[in-house]
Amino acid sequence: MDIYAYATAIGSPDSRIHSGPQTLLDACMPLPVSCHIQHPLTISTTVTGKEAIVPAAHLNNQLATLTRESVLQSHYFLTLSANHTGAIGTWSGAMAALQQQNQAGGLIWIDAHMDSHTFATSISQHLYGMPLAILLGYGEDKLTQIASPKPAL
């Protein structure tokens, strides 16, 4: 299993969420031998609003490349994060790989809130409340077109 640690507070007002992956790993140690952490993804910034777009796009492009390769290699993968923006790269990459293989894919989204805001609809302007909308193709092009010019979902 490929494990990706998406450790960032991009788009969130709470800088503590960057430690989410390490907290989860500490609770689960030791990992089975077949599991290994690949390419920890970290950007130490707490920018919010539209200032979060560029660093979030950078990190999610990296994550999309990794999850795409996991799917293409028929590996199970797990993205560890306390930041909802990690869903953008995770699912953009996975769905791009499935499309490349002419396979269908889908996502069941279970959350306390829908994460389907855009900057036009969000009162808080926090990017972590927008990943589902982005995956559906609504929002900023730098984020909606990660791994593919078409919406991931």
Side-chain angles (χ1 to χ4, degrees), residues 9-14 46-52 119 124-127:
I10 292 170
S12 169
D14 188 346
T46 55
V47 296
T48 59
K50 290 192 175 188
E51 291 179 20
F119 284 110
S124 72
Q125 298 291 291
H126 296 310
L127 195 58

Side-chain angles (χ1 to χ4, degrees), residues 4-16:
Y4 303 113
Y6 182 85
T8 185
I10 292 170
S12 169
D14 188 346
S15 63
R16 298 172 296 170

